[in-house]
Amino acid sequence: MKESDLNQIWQQNQRSATDHYQKIAPEMENLMHSKPSGVLYKIFRNLKYEIILTIAMLILILLVTTPDDMLFWIIVVGGGMALAFYIKMYLNLRKAIREVNQHNLLASLIEYIQILSQYIKRLKIYTYFFTPLGYFLGASAVLLENINEKTQAEIIRDGITFLIVSIPVLIGLIYFTNKKYVKWLYGRHLEELRNIKEQLSK
Amino acid sequence: MRSFKSIIDQHYPILYKIGKAYSEDSFDFEDLYQEMLIQIWQSLKNFKAQSKLSTWIYKVALNTALTYKRRNYRKEQFVQEEMYKDLAEYNVQGQEHSQEERQIEMLYQAIKELNKDERAIILLHLEGKKYEEMAEITGLKVSHIGVKLLRIKRKLLEVLKLKGYERV
């Protein structure tokens, strides 16, 4: 077996390619107007949904609070910052998606890995910080609502019950979303891309 | 649409070969082929003619293949089965026919044994691309391409030998 044999076999490819193309050519317009299924597009779509959801949640929360409440302004500032962050990431991603595939393979892989890493990092921040924070704030608000009507012993009992119930739930939630969900969605893919990049530049 | 169609009319073999080299089965192949078409269609307005159109298409198609994430067929296979039925049958028939087709299939099987980055380089080489153009597409230095290619060719020939190419 020589290299020239490989080239000769490779030239025979043309017929199979033509046969296949003749089959799909009539469907071309349908095919190209389908939604792309690449990972970046999925992240892009996720971000779009997150922006819509954040706006809806903000409106809902602001409807049940009043400007006199401290909570109102915390939501306005915090929610506004989160929204700005989402929109910035959305716009950056939209720009990157338009260009990323047109770079050379090495540059494209580097950019692709960077986008994916940033997104996973953001998901981790949300999982490790915002999820427990939101959970404890929400639960504390419920516990403190009737604090004046309770004795000290009842407050301690409720607090301990809350911790016993919530800590396993929270750990389970964090474990599932981070270790399993994120890794299943993007982690393995990111690892594979890093390997390809390493091997390409080796 | 017309210009896009005429571009693909001229360059469809590139997509076919990349699709075959980077897919695991016929469903996967059709999925990747479609993804490459979509990417070319969506990126076409950004093509600035700084490089040859074929070089640009290689970049877009190979980038799509390298970053392609295989779908979960356990969930989606049923839906896709109907959609790709004819094409899958066509691919299976193609594998069963002439010696010429068996040789090509064997070569693709050997190429799939290579790492993904190696597949890109051997594809470009088999397509007759010069080192300079391969460097432009991959982002590697010309000297680096030479060294890598030598290693990949040895590996490919070794795989073909192990697969019993002579018996085909």
Side-chain angles (χ1 to χ4, degrees):
Chain A
M1 159 77 26
K2 293 173 193 165
E3 197 194 327
S4 55
D5 297 334
L6 295 182
N7 293 325
Q8 200 185 342
I9 296 170
W10 193 250
Q11 298 312 314
Q12 298 164 0
N13 247 324
Q14 189 70 28
R15 211 183 70 192
S16 310
T18 306
D19 288 348
H20 175 265
Y21 185 61
Q22 282 169 352
K23 284 247 178 196
I24 65 148
E27 292 296 316
M28 182 81 86
E29 198 161 354
N30 290 339
L31 288 178
M32 66 197 215
H33 289 302
S34 311
K35 278 185 181 173
S37 64
V39 170
L40 292 191
Y41 285 89
K42 282 180 185 163
I43 292 176
F44 188 62
R45 281 196 287 268
N46 287 350
L47 273 174
K48 197 160 71 180
Y49 297 139
E50 283 174 30
I51 288 173
I52 294 168
L53 196 69
T54 307
I55 292 171
M57 289 287 283
L58 272 175
I59 292 170
L60 194 72
I61 294 169
L62 292 178
L63 281 176
V64 295
T65 53
T66 59
D68 301 336
D69 287 345
M70 181 73 161
L71 189 64
F72 179 89
W73 294 106
I74 291 173
I75 292 166
V76 168
V77 174
M81 278 168 68
L83 199 59
F85 179 71
Y86 273 140
I87 292 170
K88 185 174 178 284
M89 193 163 176
Y90 178 84
L91 294 175
N92 287 347
L93 189 59
R94 193 174 67 172
K95 187 172 179 284
I97 282 177
R98 280 179 186 162
E99 295 165 3
V100 69
N101 276 337
Q102 298 171 70
H103 302 154
N104 64 54
L105 303 190
L106 196 57
S108 177
L109 277 168
I110 291 168
E111 194 174 348
Y112 205 100
I113 289 166
Q114 203 177 7
I115 294 169
L116 213 51
S117 305
Q118 278 174 358
Y119 188 72
I120 290 174
K121 197 172 159 188
R122 194 185 66 90
L123 280 179
K124 281 183 177 173
I125 291 171
Y126 265 72
T127 316
Y128 285 134
F129 184 69
F130 288 108
T131 309
L133 185 72
Y135 186 86
F136 279 109
L137 281 177
S140 305
V142 174
L143 280 175
L144 295 174
E145 199 175 340
N146 302 316
I147 196 163
N148 294 333
E149 297 163 13
K150 289 179 180 174
T151 63
Q152 197 179 357
E154 282 173 333
I155 294 169
I156 292 169
R157 188 199 61 203
D158 289 352
I160 290 171
T161 313
F162 167 68
L163 285 176
I164 289 170
V165 172
S166 64
I167 286 175
V169 169
L170 209 56
I171 289 171
L173 193 70
I174 288 172
Y175 181 81
F176 176 75
T177 49
N178 191 46
K179 295 283 179 193
K180 299 281 179 192
Y181 184 66
V182 174
K183 192 174 181 182
W184 176 70
L185 272 183
Y186 310 112
R188 283 181 303 181
H189 187 54
L190 179 64
E191 208 171 303
E192 192 195 352
L193 291 178
R194 280 186 176 137
N195 284 338
I196 297 171
K197 191 212 132 204
E198 283 298 309
Q199 285 161 353
L200 183 63
S201 47
K202 208 188 270 178
Chain B
M1 169 64 188
R2 194 172 295 162
S3 64
F4 174 74
K5 177 83 168 51
S6 64
I7 287 168
I8 300 300
D9 281 347
Q10 287 168 24
H11 296 93
Y12 66 85
I14 297 175
L15 306 186
Y16 179 84
K17 291 165 190 171
I18 294 174
K20 287 285 281 181
Y22 281 91
S23 56
E24 288 175 31
D25 51 48
S26 50
F27 293 113
D28 204 22
F29 166 76
E30 296 303 337
D31 203 26
L32 176 56
Y33 196 102
Q34 181 178 347
E35 190 67 20
M36 288 189 287
L37 276 177
I38 296 169
Q39 292 297 332
I40 291 168
W41 164 249
Q42 293 201 339
S43 307
L44 199 57
K45 54 182 174 288
N46 293 329
F47 174 62
K48 295 187 180 91
Q50 286 166 339
S51 57
K52 283 196 294 183
L53 183 62
S54 66
T55 304
W56 180 84
I57 287 177
Y58 271 111
K59 280 185 193 173
V60 177
L62 278 170
N63 273 321
T64 307
L66 279 177
T67 56
Y68 172 71
K69 189 169 180 276
R70 185 176 154 81
R71 288 189 194 203
N72 185 355
Y73 286 111
R74 273 174 295 185
K75 287 179 184 169
E76 296 180 22
Q77 192 163 353
F78 178 75
V79 180
Q80 287 200 337
E81 251 169 26
E82 285 303 308
M83 191 175 161
Y84 294 136
K85 202 173 167 185
D86 292 342
L87 288 163
E89 278 171 8
Y90 155 78
N91 282 331
V92 171
Q93 284 162 8
Q95 286 165 16
E96 286 171 355
H97 279 162
S98 67
Q99 177 168 353
E100 186 184 271
E101 283 167 328
R102 282 204 301 276
Q103 284 180 329
I104 296 168
E105 197 53 40
M106 183 70 91
L107 181 53
Y108 275 121
Q109 290 306 321
I111 288 173
K112 285 177 195 179
E113 297 280 321
L114 301 173
N115 296 331
K116 283 189 172 178
D117 64 305
E118 295 173 333
R119 291 182 218 175
I121 291 170
I122 198 72
L123 279 176
L124 294 170
H125 171 68
L126 289 169
E127 284 291 286
K129 298 292 168 198
K130 290 180 178 164
Y131 282 12
E132 286 76 16
E133 194 174 354
M134 287 166 76
E136 189 189 338
I137 294 168
T138 59
L140 301 178
K141 287 178 184 166
V142 173
S143 57
H144 195 172
I145 293 278
V147 176
K148 270 186 88 89
L149 188 58
L150 193 66
R151 209 162 51 202
I152 296 165
K153 278 192 285 193
R154 276 190 201 140
K155 193 173 167 183
L156 183 65
L157 291 172
E158 191 61 33
V159 172
L160 281 163
K161 198 177 161 189
L162 286 170
K163 281 185 171 284
Y165 175 77
E166 277 77 10
R167 289 199 298 272
V168 174

